[in-house]
Amino acid sequence: VVIQILQRMPFFVNLFKTRNLTYYIKSMAFKILRKKITRSGTEAIVNGVLDFPLFKMEVDYEFFKKAGRKKLFSAFKKLHSFKCGKAVCTSSYKLKEKGIKYIFHTRLPYYFENEKEAVSLLKKCYRSSLNLAKEKGCKSVAIPLLGSKFSDFPEEIDIQIAKDEISRFVSKNEIDVNLVISQKNDFVNFCETV
């Protein structure tokens, strides 16, 4: 029923026809892309990691596959000890061919350990990733929904955090921020909560 209603709205007409679309929501200061993050066309992309990349998560695997497993994994192993809520930068290696200069890796909290602290740390993950884009002089950055995709945050909480942190950052900085949501269901859920 929700999909049928959304399909009647002009804003969502093409949502169900193609994967590579950009949407602007008037109340938001950033773009929402429905595509794979490695195809975002931005100077930097953000990867959420837990204890160590195990290539089990779709986005981790995609980063390492597209950027070049050996080089990126070697660079990432050197950075393995960074703290939860922080972000670090590696080269994008093979992704430079697509115009992506950097990959920012941010260490995520586990939601089920301590919910209140986890929410605070997830906010720091978004902030530190976006601030790293500013430090590196990027004109654009793509970031996925970090909490619900990687560390089992309830989607509503992650969406609210992403929306608040990205909006706050964009209001003070001249960087194009794209929230990348590759799955159709996640995109619909995001739009329903806005």
Side-chain angles (χ1 to χ4, degrees), residues 110-124:
Y110 290 98
Y111 182 73
F112 56 83
E113 289 179 357
N114 179 339
E115 293 174 14
K116 190 174 180 180
E117 183 182 7
V119 167
S120 174
L121 287 169
L122 184 61
K123 289 177 182 180
K124 287 181 182 179

Side-chain angles (χ1 to χ4, degrees), residues 37 45-47 59-67 72 103:
I37 198 164
I45 54 180
V46 178
N47 180 33
V59 178
D60 257 352
Y61 178 76
E62 183 182 350
F63 275 99
F64 284 85
K65 180 181 173 187
K66 301 276 183 183
L72 186 57
I103 299 175

Side-chain angles (χ1 to χ4, degrees), residues 49 76 79-88 105-108:
V49 294
F76 191 83
L79 302 169
H80 179 57
S81 62
F82 67 100
K83 293 182 179 182
C84 188
K86 299 289 182 189
V88 295
H105 307 271
T106 184
R107 183 162 313 280
L108 300 167

Side-chain angles (χ1 to χ4, degrees), residues 19-21 33-37 39-40 180-182:
R19 292 181 49 83
N20 299 317
L21 294 173
L33 304 179
R34 192 174 158 259
K35 59 171 68 173
K36 294 205 177 274
I37 198 164
R39 297 181 188 156
S40 64
V180 178
I181 304 175
S182 61

Side-chain angles (χ1 to χ4, degrees), residues 35-156:
K35 59 171 68 173
K36 294 205 177 274
I37 198 164
T38 54
R39 297 181 188 156
S40 64
T42 56
E43 287 185 75
I45 54 180
V46 178
N47 180 33
V49 294
L50 293 168
D51 289 328
F52 201 72
L54 301 172
F55 308 116
K56 290 182 181 177
M57 296 177 276
E58 176 189 342
V59 178
D60 257 352
Y61 178 76
E62 183 182 350
F63 275 99
F64 284 85
K65 180 181 173 187
K66 301 276 183 183
R69 283 189 188 111
K70 287 183 181 179
K71 287 184 179 180
L72 186 57
F73 193 73
S74 175
F76 191 83
K77 278 186 357 187
K78 293 174 188 172
L79 302 169
H80 179 57
S81 62
F82 67 100
K83 293 182 179 182
C84 188
K86 299 289 182 189
V88 295
C89 178
T90 64
S91 172
S92 64
Y93 300 103
K94 290 181 182 178
L95 288 171
K96 285 185 180 172
E97 298 166 4
K98 296 185 178 202
I100 299 169
K101 294 179 184 177
Y102 307 107
I103 299 175
F104 303 145
H105 307 271
T106 184
R107 183 162 313 280
L108 300 167
Y110 290 98
Y111 182 73
F112 56 83
E113 289 179 357
N114 179 339
E115 293 174 14
K116 190 174 180 180
E117 183 182 7
V119 167
S120 174
L121 287 169
L122 184 61
K123 289 177 182 180
K124 287 181 182 179
C125 290
Y126 281 101
R127 260 184 251 139
S128 62
S129 299
L130 294 169
N131 286 329
L132 195 51
K134 182 181 176 181
E135 287 174 28
K136 293 290 181 182
C138 296
K139 294 178 182 170
S140 58
V141 61
I143 190 167
L145 285 172
L146 294 168
S148 55
K149 281 292 151 218
F150 300 100
S151 57
D152 296 328
F153 270 76
E155 198 167 59
E156 322 78 62

